[in-house]
Amino acid sequence: MSNENQNNGGMNGKDFVIGTLLGGIIGASVALLYAPKAGKDLREDINTGAGQVRERASEWKNTAYDKGNELYERAQESSKNLGEKIKQKKDDIQERVDYLRSENKEQGQEIAEDVAEAIEEAADEMERQEADMNFKNSQN
């Protein structure tokens, strides 16, 4: 849900880069058009400025691509770790249930409470991991 809010309500990195590029192009063009120069000099300045903007856009594209890959790898690692933790919790719960069943069948209510508590712990851990991942992503 927080990711949805980020996309709908806030400005993301892609919008910022596009806005920066457009602002730079428009600003450079206006500055060159109002400069008192001959047509040939003005065209050379415009070509030079356009080349610089292309260079800068290429650099930003590469940086954005690298950051995207880095975030993707981090998300994959976090997802893998979270999956392992959930599997471990499930195994722990199963061991508890098996133990309690073999020890005393009359304690069914306690078993159910232990299972519910363990499920809540796993859900809380998942929410914490997701919140941590969203916070880290928002910092970048």
Side-chain angles (χ1 to χ4, degrees):
M1 178 176 262
S2 65
N3 197 14
E4 182 179 297
N5 288 341
Q6 202 175 29
N7 287 339
N8 290 337
M11 177 174 53
N12 62 26
K14 180 180 164 186
D15 292 339
F16 179 76
V17 170
I18 290 171
T20 303
L21 287 173
L22 289 176
I25 291 169
I26 291 169
S29 298
V30 168
L32 291 174
L33 290 174
Y34 283 102
K37 290 188 176 184
K40 183 178 179 181
D41 292 338
L42 180 60
R43 285 190 299 275
E44 286 177 11
D45 287 350
I46 289 173
N47 286 334
T48 302
Q52 290 172 344
V53 168
R54 273 193 297 268
E55 247 179 66
R56 195 172 298 163
S58 177
E59 290 171 8
W60 287 346
K61 177 195 69 120
N62 292 339
T63 301
Y65 181 78
D66 292 343
K67 280 285 189 187
N69 283 339
E70 180 182 320
L71 290 174
Y72 176 75
E73 289 171 6
R74 271 199 259 165
Q76 278 187 324
E77 186 65 29
S78 293
S79 175
K80 179 182 172 187
N81 291 341
L82 184 59
E84 290 171 358
K85 286 181 182 180
I86 290 172
K87 183 183 181 310
Q88 182 62 41
K89 284 282 188 187
K90 181 194 84 68
D91 292 344
D92 290 346
I93 292 169
Q94 187 62 49
E95 286 178 18
R96 281 178 167 169
V97 169
D98 292 344
Y99 172 76
L100 290 173
R101 278 187 186 159
S102 67
E103 285 296 311
N104 199 349
K105 292 196 181 217
E106 292 105 31
Q107 295 179 344
Q109 182 63 29
E110 289 180 18
I111 293 171
E113 290 173 2
D114 284 345
V115 169
E117 182 180 314
I119 289 171
E120 286 180 16
E121 288 175 9
D124 290 343
E125 179 66 22
M126 285 177 59
E127 289 177 11
R128 188 188 65 74
Q129 285 285 331
E130 182 179 343
D132 287 347
M133 198 162 69
N134 287 336
F135 176 75
K136 288 178 184 176
N137 287 342
S138 71
Q139 295 297 314
N140 295 326

